Amino acid sequence: IPAMPTPTYGRILNIVQQAYGSIRDVRALHMIKTPFIYVHTLAILVHVNNILNAIAFGLVCGITILALMGIGNQSDVGLANLLTTLFLQFCFSMLAPVLYLALLDVSVCVAQPFTYQDARIPAARFIVGMEEDLRNATHIGNHPVHWEKPSFKKRD
């Protein structure tokens, strides 16, 4: 170990301080929950969209059923247009909400990375591995293999 006033000693202390700071940051990330403003806004938009799609599909479905039952004056072209509109409304009302709900689920998983097992960051395993590395480094520092244990120079 170099003498205390040397730049090498200061650099070693800076590296150790950065390591402890990184450990504290990982533990703080685990304790602090991210704000849910974005997720809640996205949830409101998805649910309002689902409600509006359900209303629109219900109206189109009702109009098409009335035309199929023969209520109202519809020609073959008008009936074909209604059936095409029903199919398109079905696609818009089913495919887009499924995509939006999938994006909502992904955003919830991103907002809470330590909650769900599938999206979990293995911070505990990283910390255990780092602690084991530090124990091994301490053991090697205390019992060097081919040289004497380093120590501060004694003043005479």
Side-chain angles (χ1 to χ4, degrees):
I1 295 178
M4 198 174 295
T6 62
T8 306
Y9 184 79
R11 179 70 179 135
I12 291 172
L13 286 181
N14 283 339
I15 291 172
V16 170
Q17 187 176 7
Q18 287 175 351
Y20 280 127
S22 297
I23 292 172
R24 281 192 300 273
D25 289 344
V26 168
R27 287 191 175 156
L29 282 175
H30 183 62
M31 297 297 168
I32 298 172
K33 300 295 179 191
T34 351
F36 293 110
I37 295 172
Y38 170 74
V39 177
H40 285 294
T41 305
L42 187 62
I44 290 170
L45 289 174
V46 167
H47 291 347
V48 167
N49 182 33
N50 288 348
I51 291 169
L52 293 176
N53 279 333
I55 292 170
F57 183 69
L59 291 173
V60 170
C61 189
I63 292 170
T64 306
I65 289 174
L66 286 177
L68 288 175
M69 291 176 59
I71 301 173
N73 298 330
Q74 291 292 329
S75 63
D76 291 337
V77 174
L79 186 61
N81 283 341
L82 278 176
L83 290 175
T84 304
T85 305
L86 179 67
F87 176 72
L88 289 174
Q89 187 63 38
F90 176 78
C91 291
F92 290 140
S93 296
M94 295 302 284
L95 298 179
V98 168
L99 177 67
Y100 295 153
L101 287 171
L103 290 174
L104 177 64
D105 192 33
V106 167
S107 67
V108 167
C109 289
V110 167
Q112 298 175 335
F114 297 104
T115 303
Y116 301 101
Q117 189 63 31
D118 295 336
R120 191 176 180 116
I121 296 173
R125 186 174 50 131
F126 290 158
I127 290 173
V128 167
M130 188 181 302
E131 288 172 349
E132 182 180 346
D133 289 345
L134 288 173
R135 277 194 300 274
N136 290 338
T138 302
H139 177 72
I140 289 175
N142 290 334
H143 305 86
V145 182
H146 298 294
W147 58 83
E148 290 182 24
K149 180 179 175 183
S151 61
F152 288 110
K153 296 179 183 178
K154 295 184 180 182
R155 295 183 181 172
D156 293 329

